Amino acid sequence: MFWGWIVNVILLGPQGSGKGTQAAELETRLGLRHIASGDLLREARELDTPLGRLVKKYYDAGELVPDDVVIELIVQEINKHLNGQGVVLDGFPRNVTQAQALDKALASNGSQIDKVVELVAPLEVVKKRLTGRLICRTCGAVYNLETKPPKVPGKCDLDGGELYQRPDDTPEAIEKRLQVWAKENEGLVNYYQSRGILYKVDANKPVEQVTQDIMTILKRDL
Ligand SMILES: [Zn+2]
């Protein structure tokens, strides 16, 4: 489907709010390019380009990739899709400093973030989803005791591999991550609200309903 105009979107929301799932839906249905910051960095690392080699250097040293490098990768991706329908960012920016730097970089490329959609879910719901998460040791497929249980308990549907819980998915670790997230998110929400491009969606609904709500927002006033 092609709607004839370009929209660049950021999805905000805590881990477990379904950002990745919704971004993938928007890619399938609207042709928006889904840019997950984690995937973007993993892909860049494999590339034999100056930027790719730089990312690899940070990875190999076990260091965080600096914001300006991540932003340059994102701007490159957006430029690649200028004739498409735009992008949906998932996992970046994580704080106001990054958001401001991204806006500046996009502006100097004649581009911009058009809409920011915050997926709002009660933290209790998110915690439950995150503590129920199980991963296949063989293929990395992700299951969830709450929302997507495996057919046979403890075994991967795809290859029968053993399912395990990530060590950083304990209730204590999740609680800590969500606290850090909430603080950063508040700043981001205020920032995009002051730009007049922030929209909220109730993410505590079936996936299909949430997708419909987001699409309604994206199509509005265009
Ligand atoms: Zn598997």
Side-chain angles (χ1 to χ4, degrees), residues 136 138-141 156 158-159 161:
C136 171
T138 310
C139 71
C156 177
L158 304 174
D159 52 25

Side-chain angles (χ1 to χ4, degrees), residues 41 55 58-59 63-67 69-70 73:
L41 286 170
V55 171
Y58 287 110
Y59 261 95
E63 289 170 22
L64 270 182
V65 180
D67 289 352
V69 175
V70 179
L73 285 169

Side-chain angles (χ1 to χ4, degrees), residues 15 126-127 129-135 164-178:
Q15 212 189 359
V126 166
K127 273 183 219 163
R129 282 186 197 168
L130 289 176
T131 36
R133 194 157 66 165
L134 294 171
I135 301 166
Y164 75 104
Q165 188 176 42
R166 269 186 9 189
D168 57 348
D169 277 349
T170 62
E172 297 76 26
I174 289 167
E175 179 75 40
K176 213 170 157 191
R177 281 211 301 278
L178 287 174

Side-chain angles (χ1 to χ4, degrees), residues 133-188:
R133 194 157 66 165
L134 294 171
I135 301 166
C136 171
R137 274 197 204 282
T138 310
C139 71
V142 180
Y143 296 86
N144 195 297
L145 292 173
E146 286 285 318
T147 54
K148 193 193 168 197
K151 292 193 183 93
V152 179
K155 292 207 185 302
C156 177
D157 292 354
L158 304 174
D159 52 25
E162 182 200 350
L163 301 182
Y164 75 104
Q165 188 176 42
R166 269 186 9 189
D168 57 348
D169 277 349
T170 62
E172 297 76 26
I174 289 167
E175 179 75 40
K176 213 170 157 191
R177 281 211 301 278
L178 287 174
Q179 276 175 15
V180 173
W181 167 83
K183 207 168 148 235
E184 302 277 37
N185 186 63
E186 198 186 336
L188 277 176

Side-chain angles (χ1 to χ4, degrees), residues 66-199:
D67 289 352
D68 58 336
V69 175
V70 179
I71 287 172
E72 199 174 328
L73 285 169
I74 291 174
V75 170
Q76 271 187 10
E77 276 301 308
I78 290 180
N79 284 343
K80 262 194 246 169
H81 296 272
L82 272 186
N83 296 321
Q85 282 147 290
V87 302
V88 50
L89 288 180
D90 152 25
F92 194 94
R94 285 186 313 277
N95 56 52
V96 176
T97 310
Q98 291 178 341
Q100 286 167 334
L102 178 65
D103 276 348
K104 215 172 136 193
L106 290 178
S108 64
N109 276 272
S111 192
Q112 64 175 8
I113 296 299
D114 301 293
K115 291 190 178 179
V116 177
V117 179
E118 184 189 15
L119 300 181
V120 182
L123 287 186
E124 288 314 312
V125 171
V126 166
K127 273 183 219 163
K128 218 169 171 183
R129 282 186 197 168
L130 289 176
T131 36
R133 194 157 66 165
L134 294 171
I135 301 166
C136 171
R137 274 197 204 282
T138 310
C139 71
V142 180
Y143 296 86
N144 195 297
L145 292 173
E146 286 285 318
T147 54
K148 193 193 168 197
K151 292 193 183 93
V152 179
K155 292 207 185 302
C156 177
D157 292 354
L158 304 174
D159 52 25
E162 182 200 350
L163 301 182
Y164 75 104
Q165 188 176 42
R166 269 186 9 189
D168 57 348
D169 277 349
T170 62
E172 297 76 26
I174 289 167
E175 179 75 40
K176 213 170 157 191
R177 281 211 301 278
L178 287 174
Q179 276 175 15
V180 173
W181 167 83
K183 207 168 148 235
E184 302 277 37
N185 186 63
E186 198 186 336
L188 277 176
V189 164
N190 292 338
Y191 174 71
Y192 288 119
Q193 214 149 31
S194 71
R195 281 195 46 202
I197 57 170
L198 184 87
Y199 301 83

